[in-house]
Amino acid sequence: MVDVAWEGHHRQTFFQEGAGLPPPEDRADVFARYGNGDIAAARYDHGDGMAGLIGPHAEADQTWLDEAGFADPDGDDWNYAVPFVEALLD
């Protein structure tokens, strides 16, 4: 579990071999940052399109936590990732 600020809301989010994302070379919309300030989720402009990258597993439900032996003190985080997914579909 890692501290992730989803649009300013700090949450404990499941993290398994995720990534810290690079700062944008051109333009990016940042949706989440790790507690240390590194980018955790962003939509990057790339060529004529875009790419969405995310490091932590906001989609992790209780079954993931049970299997890993973790507890999530503030509950599921999927609803914080929904705006990110919606932005990718725009």
Side-chain angles (χ1 to χ4, degrees), residues 4-72:
V4 178
W6 296 93
E7 298 183 351
H9 301 275
H10 285 267
R11 308 281 299 176
Q12 291 296 304
T13 304
F14 190 83
F15 181 88
Q16 182 180 20
E17 300 181 28
L21 304 177
E25 292 180 11
D26 186 11
R27 180 170 151 14
D29 296 316
V30 176
F31 286 81
R33 290 188 178 273
Y34 295 111
N36 67 1
D38 288 352
I39 297 171
R43 182 180 71 174
Y44 295 85
D45 286 347
H46 184 73
D48 292 335
M50 65 174 161
L53 301 175
I54 187 168
H57 290 281
E59 78 281 10
D61 63 14
Q62 190 62 46
T63 61
W64 292 43
L65 300 171
D66 291 345
E67 187 173 309
F70 293 130
D72 187 346

